[in-house]
Amino acid sequence: MNLNKIILCGAILSSIILGAQTKEKVTSHVNPFIGTGAADGSPLSGNNFPGATVPFGMVQLSPDTRSTPDWSVACGYNYNDTTIAGFSHTHLSGTGVAELFDVMLMPFSGAIVKEAEGENAYQSKFSHKNETAKPGYYSVQLLDYQVKAELTATTRAGFHKYSFPKNKEAHIIIDLDHSMKKSDWNTRIIASQLSFPNNHTVEGYRIITGWAPMRKVYFHAEFSQPIIRNHVKDGGNSYDNARIVNGNAIRAILDFDVSKQQEVFVKVGISATSIENARLNVESEIPAWDFEKKVKEADAVWEKELGKIKIDGTDEQKQIFYTALYHTYIQPNTLSDVNGDYPSADFTVKKASKPYYSTFSLWDTYRAAHPLYTLIQPERSADFVNSMLAYYKVFGYLPIWQLWGQENYCMIGNHAIPVIADAVMKNLPGIDSNLAYEAIKNSAMREHPGSPFGIWEKFGYIPENLKSQSVSLTLEMAYDDWCVAELAKKLVKIEDYNHFTKRSQFYRNLYDKEIGFFRAKDDKGNWIGPFDPLKYGANGGYPFTEGNGWQYFWYVPQDVKGLIGLVGNDQLFTKKLDTFFTLEDKPEEVNDNASGFIGQYAHGNEPSHHIAYLYNYAGQPWKTQKYTADIMKKMYNTTSSGYSGNDDCGELSAWYIFSAMGFYPVNPANRMYVIGSPILKEAIIELQGGKTFKVTAKNVSDQNVYIQSAKLNGKTYTKTFIKQSDLDSGGTLEFVMGSKPNKKWGIRTEDRPAN
């Protein structure tokens, strides 16, 4: 090879290496501080945490800024706080209830203050200037102790790195009493244990009941340096150099000699089944003491999973989009150990051949998060469904709000039904369709707190004097019944199909045509008054759930054409939508979950999420384009107050992901997506079998939010929806955008979404 060729080859190789080094990483756009704390005047921010986790992991290792978290800081962390109480291994992302916070560690330096060993004794001030968060990694400087804390995680284990100052005593607290307020949900530690099998190891468990009943959490912690002393307290009892302590308020201070090595590493495995499995989890997932390697591995896992959707847009859009996608991947959570053991609903230990998942916030996530999982996490989505089916076989009906393997009965309806029906209708592999149908049918037929079947069949609606939240229940149960009917049709169960189709129309029985709203009746068929469509309900004692009559009027996703018929016609329907989005009147009391207002539309809570897309059904798609663009612009940003309400295990995030790409599942189980206003220049979705589906938006900008024309796979496209089959086949959906509505695009009857 001559010199010129050698130089040329070297230049090409250098270019390839440089390109690989400078390739933009998806994880670089994730900002875990988005949604972690409301700005002044904002009611809610997201309730997200910034700590270290991996996709759908058992461990979420994150700082808690309150010693006793409550609903206002349900994830444990508030960006506006100034102190850190410790780092616990389990958290919920975006929920309205505080729970988990298991096995909290807190490093500190200096003398132990004997008279102040309570839960607030060793909090430390911190500053965001000395705080970093990225996927799979978190660090902060604890200013009171000059200790740098760094955290990373695997699926079932947390990895801590604490850098202590020289010439100061070094200590680490292990707190098994840390939880949400003991007064909330009757939370209490039933039993706990700490043991010290050797001078490098602490292990134990706690059994705690609260929002989730009778949670068993086991742990095994290994330290890189020997523990030279331990000081254990259980309430008023104190023990020095204990070997084992049993109690129900246990905290321990561990002493270390850091005169030669200032860094102490801690590997903590957790398990819901046994100490032995907690030990196995950490041995399998963190076999060595290489902290940086685990940080890189966590980043690589996130890079792979987040890269399943590639987008082109502004830097701000990329940050919001990929942080939203990151948040959708935090829950559901793996609950099975590396050997397949998991805690069954009957409190026995069973074994699964594939991961068993929990944390199903179904009233929230059935709307957009689970449909998103079927697109970009189909194998995991099947595992989610199979986890629910395993739960059903033991518990007798499907989960409503399942946490740590147990039911807490939060919220109404049984929205595992649309999740499972959707997965089977989309032919996700590995799901027993007959078992799935048995589960959703029985869950829709058996009396339980989320679905009062007996009075449902008897009256054709839920009477408010027999069961509160009756209007919301009636509307939501009617939708669930439609989902059962659809799967019955697929499986050729005609009698069931007819029965559940009839029940799916029960929503009509609460429509008062005189006032034009759904409203409550008693068991005699009388309207219950007075009726105020602006008045809010919470979670009981009123006909509406976390919303009002205006917001719930639109909840008939299975029969939007039927709803239009109740109103009268397309013009009256769109006129009512116009009023909904412009009526600013509010009652004196607004439910805490109601936020992010555009008129009566409240983006901060789920009942409103599909409503902006309903204009498409009545021939005015440009208004859907206007309002979806407005919502994305006004309700999402890159600050700690980046969400307009609780993210609810990724549901607000999933709404943005779909809407930014230009479509949304109004009916989450009919295999159809209604088109809105794409705000990204390009989005490429990776599908099974190596296929991709690309969406492009030519001329898109903050002003150019209106669709001028569209093409699907090169052919002119005027429909205001796309089908699942369009996505499954792969291809390209091209939009041309402009600053003014094209009122001729998508308005024909045949261009409108079907029910």
Side-chain angles (χ1 to χ4, degrees), residues 511-525:
Y511 183 70
D512 185 347
K513 63 181 180 181
E514 297 298 324
I515 62 171
F517 285 94
F518 296 105
R519 61 181 297 195
K521 284 181 179 178
D522 63 20
D523 59 349
K524 301 296 189 296

Side-chain angles (χ1 to χ4, degrees), residues 392-456:
Y392 157 77
K393 287 194 287 186
V394 173
F395 204 61
Y397 51 85
L398 291 164
I400 297 167
W401 212 124
Q402 190 217 64
L403 179 59
W404 208 257
Q406 293 297 322
E407 183 58 67
N408 63 33
Y409 298 107
C410 190
M411 305 311 296
I412 60 172
N414 193 317
H415 298 313
I417 290 172
V419 171
I420 292 174
D422 181 46
V424 176
M425 297 296 288
K426 289 176 179 174
N427 299 311
L428 294 191
I431 300 172
D432 182 336
S433 60
N434 290 316
L435 175 61
Y437 182 72
E438 174 195 319
I440 67 173
K441 177 183 175 180
N442 285 341
S443 295
M445 296 287 283
R446 293 177 180 172
E447 191 82 19
H448 58 82
S451 185
F453 161 70
I455 58 177
W456 181 236

